[in-house]
Amino acid sequence: MTFLLCLFLILPFHRIGIMGAMDKELNLIKQKMKIEEVDTLAQKIFTVGSIKGIPCVCVQAGVGKVNAALTAEILILKYQVDAIIFSGVAGGINPQLKIGDIVISERVLHHDFGQILPDQFIPGDTTGYSADTVLIEIALKAVKDVKFPEVPKKLCKEKEHLPRVVLGRIVSGDQFISSEKKRQWLAQTFRADCVEMEGSGMAQVCALNKLPFLIIRCVSDLANEKAEIDFPAFVGYSAENSSLLLLKMIELLGE
Ligand code: ADE
């Protein structure tokens, strides 16, 4: 009892919500969980338990911002998580990022919210949502301790080439981007580092509930015409990299 009380006072977060969009993004995380209960709500499966003694609830939200927003609200209202971390893959937008590299969210914005004029789209979200600074700090600390697997030979001939990790801007929209023209537009309009389909939906719900959040995304494709080929080829490798970083963060939270 005293031990539990001490744990409650020391830990910055008492129960963490862990979200992903697809099963590949959560497989490794669920393998490491000590599962206590599994519930289904709004067709989402909530796995309740702990990782390295840290209470958490892991859920596959499905693809898109509506799924992400709905799932985040359930995590907050039903499971009373006090932080949410999203782990998954993304299309690389910053030309310096390669497949396998990781973006830790500093900020996330909707890229498909705005006004359509006859020959122009005016973005309606130019500020977005800031990730929690404590979670960012823990993620950056965790990076130093993670043993990422080598970047696949198909991508890089160099031996022992490991992924790079950057703190950056993520944009989200209900669109899978496979267009170099759109990639350039996202880079110029939002100074985005990567694009995905859930982060800003989850972040908006967290902001409305004043709940800290963080997004970890590993690049699975470069959001260009090759994305449809690269995504299925590298989603497994990239999802695992993102999961490894999240798992290390959870480990640090328990120390
Ligand atoms: N997630 C992974 N790759 C993506 C892309 N190209 N567009 C949107 N979401 C993605």
Side-chain angles (χ1 to χ4, degrees):
M1 186 61 195
T2 326
F3 170 73
L4 282 179
L5 189 67
C6 287
L7 205 65
F8 193 79
L9 293 173
I10 293 165
L11 292 177
F13 306 107
H14 305 117
R15 192 186 234 183
I16 314 275
I18 299 172
M19 283 175 59
M22 299 169 299
D23 56 352
K24 280 197 171 66
E25 292 173 322
L26 292 171
N27 282 346
L28 186 66
I29 296 163
K30 281 212 242 169
Q31 276 169 32
K32 303 286 174 192
M33 252 183 114
K34 188 169 162 226
I35 299 172
E36 287 160 18
E37 196 186 322
V38 180
D39 297 332
T40 305
L41 214 88
Q43 298 180 32
K44 317 287 174 215
I45 300 167
F46 292 82
T47 307
V48 184
S50 58
I51 299 172
K52 303 250 174 186
I54 305 291
C56 48
V57 184
C58 182
V59 55
Q60 185 185 334
V63 175
K65 292 184 294 161
V66 174
N67 273 324
L70 160 92
T71 307
E73 192 66 43
I74 296 174
L75 279 173
I76 297 167
L77 289 181
K78 175 152 191 218
Y79 295 98
Q80 305 193 327
V81 299
D82 47 18
I84 302 181
I85 309 176
F86 197 109
S87 173
V89 300
I93 298 296
N94 177 340
Q96 296 193 335
L97 289 179
K98 298 194 169 66
I99 295 176
D101 290 344
I102 292 178
V103 180
I104 294 169
S105 62
E106 188 166 39
R107 186 167 285 276
V108 58
L109 301 93
H110 302 298
H111 72 70
D112 57 355
F113 180 82
Q115 184 184 8
I116 303 216
L117 294 175
D119 52 7
Q120 199 189 355
F121 172 71
I122 306 183
D125 180 16
T126 49
T127 45
Y129 305 94
S130 295
D132 181 64
T133 50
V134 173
L135 289 172
I136 291 176
E137 209 177 294
I138 297 167
L140 293 175
K141 206 165 154 207
V143 170
K144 299 187 186 111
D145 295 342
V146 186
K147 299 231 176 330
F148 291 111
E150 248 186 79
V151 173
K153 288 278 168 297
K154 279 183 271 184
L155 289 170
C156 175
K157 301 275 175 290
E158 208 181 299
K159 251 190 123 205
E160 286 171 42
H161 181 80
L162 297 177
R164 253 182 84 202
V165 184
V166 300
L167 183 62
R169 286 163 76 86
I170 298 178
V171 289
S172 320
D174 289 300
Q175 304 158 347
F176 185 89
I177 310 297
S178 322
S179 153
E180 177 58 24
K181 196 168 160 214
K182 183 81 175 187
R183 189 198 68 71
Q184 284 179 17
W185 181 82
L186 291 171
Q188 280 155 16
T189 311
F190 299 101
R191 286 182 291 119
D193 291 295
C194 69
V195 62
E196 37 86 313
M197 302 176 68
E198 295 82 22
S200 65
M202 175 204 76
Q204 185 169 357
V205 167
C206 287
L208 291 169
N209 287 278
K210 298 192 174 27
L211 200 91
F213 76 87
L214 186 80
I215 303 164
I216 305 170
R217 291 283 184 171
C218 181
V219 174
S220 56
D221 57 82
L222 300 178
N224 55 15
E225 277 70 358
K226 263 192 80 201
E228 279 168 301
I229 298 162
D230 288 338
F231 176 82
F234 301 113
V235 63
Y237 168 74
S238 298
E240 185 181 319
N241 278 350
S242 180
S243 302
L244 287 170
L245 181 52
L246 178 134
L247 288 166
K248 186 56 80 178
M249 279 184 73
I250 305 272
E251 209 176 303
L252 289 183
L253 279 169
E255 281 175 4

